[in-house]
Amino acid sequence: MERTLSIIKPDGVGHGLIGEVIRRFEKNGIKIIAMKMVHLSLDDARKFYAVHKERPFFNSLTAFMTSGPIVPMILEGENVIEKNRTLMGATNYKDAAEGTIRRNFATDIEKNIVHGSDAPETAAIEIKFFFNELEICERG
Ligand code: CMP
């Protein structure tokens, strides 16, 4: 059993897509074991995306991620990191497969509706960034 961090980004929340994203997870057998809505400070966003701090899009990305509330969730399931990445589609919605969340709803390489951890090590770090043990529900 694996866990990953998913975030519905400010554009996803703003376009009323919280329910749609969650529906796709649940329809595909993915369990949500923690969830909240938060509005990140710029400092928080810079910490969360620290791996990208040398990239040219870092300032724009952190500004976008603080432009409105976001919905971080912990997803659990077999092979859930890969499963979530398949449901999201490629980072650039133009390259994303038909029927994926980003292909269906993203408007820009940056405003791409959702984030998902890319590996078990990053999932563990990203989950800890948003949730403590008490906030995680073992659902059996
Ligand atoms: P995410 O999966 O959250 O990881 C990093 C984010 O940076 C990415 O989704 C996009 O929102 C954003 N981003 C903006 N420009 C680029 C780019 N050229 N390449 C990759 N990610 C980008």
Side-chain angles (χ1 to χ4, degrees):
M1 209 45 96
E2 204 173 61
R3 289 179 179 179
T4 192
L5 184 86
S6 165
I7 302 176
I8 305 176
K9 297 184 179 188
D11 56 335
V13 175
H15 289 126
L17 293 169
I18 298 173
E20 174 65 22
V21 172
I22 290 175
R23 190 186 67 82
R24 291 185 185 213
F25 292 154
E26 294 188 328
K27 216 174 82 179
N28 284 280
I30 293 175
K31 275 186 189 160
I32 296 163
I33 60 166
M35 178 163 55
K36 61 174 73 168
M37 182 179 276
V38 292
H39 195 148
L40 294 180
S41 68
L42 192 55
D43 202 38
D44 292 329
R46 293 175 72 87
K47 274 187 203 135
F48 183 77
Y49 278 118
V51 290
H52 295 306
K53 65 176 185 296
E54 306 301 338
R55 307 288 285 273
F57 56 81
F58 182 68
N59 284 342
S60 168
L61 173 63
T62 51
F64 163 57
M65 289 300 287
T66 58
S67 66
I70 61 172
V71 178
M73 288 173 258
I74 304 176
L75 310 182
E76 188 176 75
E78 250 171 66
N79 205 21
V80 74
I81 294 175
E82 194 49 43
K83 227 173 172 178
N84 180 40
R85 292 175 70 77
T86 302
L87 290 175
M88 288 193 299
T91 303
N92 188 345
Y93 74 102
K94 290 179 181 165
D95 302 328
E98 289 295 340
T100 59
I101 294 169
R102 285 165 169 168
R103 181 62 178 243
N104 287 161
F105 304 113
T107 52
D108 185 297
I109 190 167
E110 179 177 274
K111 295 175 183 61
N112 61 358
I113 310 287
V114 278
H115 166 82
S117 312
D118 62 1
E121 301 73 32
T122 39
I125 294 166
E126 292 181 358
I127 284 171
K128 270 213 178 111
F129 185 90
F130 285 105
F131 297 97
N132 65 42
E133 278 305 316
L134 277 177
E135 295 171 308
I136 302 175
C137 302
E138 303 288 343
R139 289 178 52 188

